[in-house]
Amino acid sequence: MTIYTNIPLELVFEGMNEQRNAYMDIVIGDVRMQVEPLSPGVGRIVRLVECPLDAYLRPELSPGNVIALGPAVIK
């Protein structure tokens, strides 16, 4: 991999070796998504895994949004 940048490498690779929380797969309706748990019952959408095409246009399902997690939707 070659990186051409004028930013110091310490900033480019900052946090690269840090451990991240494990992602969870959840299903809400007909949308299966990958979520990063933030606290009990709350998670941030990482990506949509399996869903109808129109789900990508729904702003509430965009990556980075924080959603409530219930015990019935966790898989």
Side-chain angles (χ1 to χ4, degrees):
M1 176 173 72
T2 304
I3 298 177
Y4 296 103
T5 181
N6 59 355
I7 300 173
L9 287 179
E10 294 81 25
L11 293 176
V12 172
F13 294 115
E14 182 178 345
M16 187 171 127
N17 294 324
E18 291 179 6
Q19 183 72 19
R20 291 188 159 214
N21 292 340
Y23 295 139
M24 303 174 354
D25 281 349
I26 65 167
V27 177
I28 298 177
D30 57 350
V31 178
R32 188 170 136 225
M33 63 185 81
Q34 196 173 45
V35 176
E36 176 184 14
L38 299 176
S39 65
V42 179
R44 178 177 293 127
I45 299 174
V46 176
R47 67 184 180 123
L48 301 181
V49 177
E50 184 179 334
C51 61
L53 292 177
D54 63 339
Y56 290 100
L57 300 175
R58 295 171 48 191
E60 67 271 12
L61 295 178
S62 62
N65 280 352
V66 176
I67 59 171
L69 305 175
V73 297
I74 298 174
K75 283 216 171 201

